[in-house]
Structures are given as structure tokens and as C-alpha cells.
Amino acid sequence: MDLLTAERQLQAAQRAADVESLDALLHPQVVGAGPDGTVFTKEDDLAGYRSGALRITGLVEESLDIQEDGQTGVTRMVAAVDAVQGGSAVSARLRYTRLWVREDDNWRVLAATFVPVQ
């Protein structure tokens, strides 16, 4: 699988709250950081989808840049995102930066950040 395919699969899994696919695409040691500086683990992220505390109701990719170098890669995406988080509807235009590592020909996210953009 190439990195573009992995990124597209991750986006589809987020939209569908597909915990099984997210589990496969996220490295066991993944660490993420949100717009407010909150740091979260793989289990934190999966728990939000499992419980329904986080539901992505819309995700429209505006731009995507992919950089690969052997066993590592970076994706930088800007997307318009609509979600329900903790029972509140939120909409934002976000820049996601993800560090991917390749293991056994599968790409997995090792680190991620997302921040609002104008």
C-alpha cells in the first residue's frame, strides 16, 4: 500500500468511526496533539470513536501534500471538518500533519497534530 492510499483509508475510517480500521492504521505508540495542546494516545483516540464522544460528520479535503523517504512519510492535509465532540457540534478548517512509519509494507501513523487554519 502506498502512503496516499493509507491516508485515504484513514480519512474514510474517521468518517465512518471504523474503530477496527483506525486500530490497524494507528501505530501502538502513536501520540497526537490537538489545537488546544491536549496530547492523546491511540487508546484515547479509539475510545472517543467507540463511545460516540467523537463523530466526524463531514470531512472535505482541500489540499494534501505527501512526502515519503523509505520507511517514513509525512502527510500534510487541510480539510473542512464538521464533527460532534462531547455532544457539541463543531466546524473548523484544520491542518493535519501526520508522521507515518512503514512496518511489514503497511503504513501506520506514529505522530499527529491538527491545528485550525484561516
Side-chain angles (χ1 to χ4, degrees):
M1 163 175 36
D2 66 14
L3 190 49
L4 175 60
T5 300
E7 174 67 35
R8 296 278 191 254
Q9 287 179 349
L10 181 67
Q11 291 177 32
Q14 290 173 318
R15 284 185 195 99
D18 180 347
V19 174
E20 185 176 321
S21 293
L22 288 168
D23 185 41
L25 289 161
L26 298 177
H27 191 280
Q29 297 176 34
V30 68
V31 175
D36 62 356
T38 301
V39 174
F40 54 92
T41 65
K42 177 177 182 173
E43 192 48 47
D44 296 332
D45 197 32
L46 295 179
Y49 285 101
R50 269 191 207 104
S51 69
L54 174 61
R55 283 187 300 116
I56 305 295
T57 56
L59 190 153
V60 178
E61 178 187 300
E62 296 178 8
S63 67
L64 177 63
D65 178 54
I66 296 175
Q67 180 181 355
E68 283 186 52
D69 185 23
Q71 301 300 350
T72 61
V74 175
T75 56
R76 289 176 294 277
M77 175 183 70
V78 174
V81 179
D82 296 310
V84 176
Q85 187 169 18
S88 298
V90 293
S91 294
R93 189 166 176 255
L94 300 171
R95 178 179 311 280
Y96 292 85
T97 303
R98 296 183 179 107
L99 171 64
W100 296 77
V101 293
R102 189 187 336 233
E103 297 179 330
D104 301 322
D105 286 332
N106 293 312
W107 287 102
R108 299 176 92 183
V109 178
L110 181 61
T113 62
F114 59 101
V115 296
V117 292
Q118 300 295 325

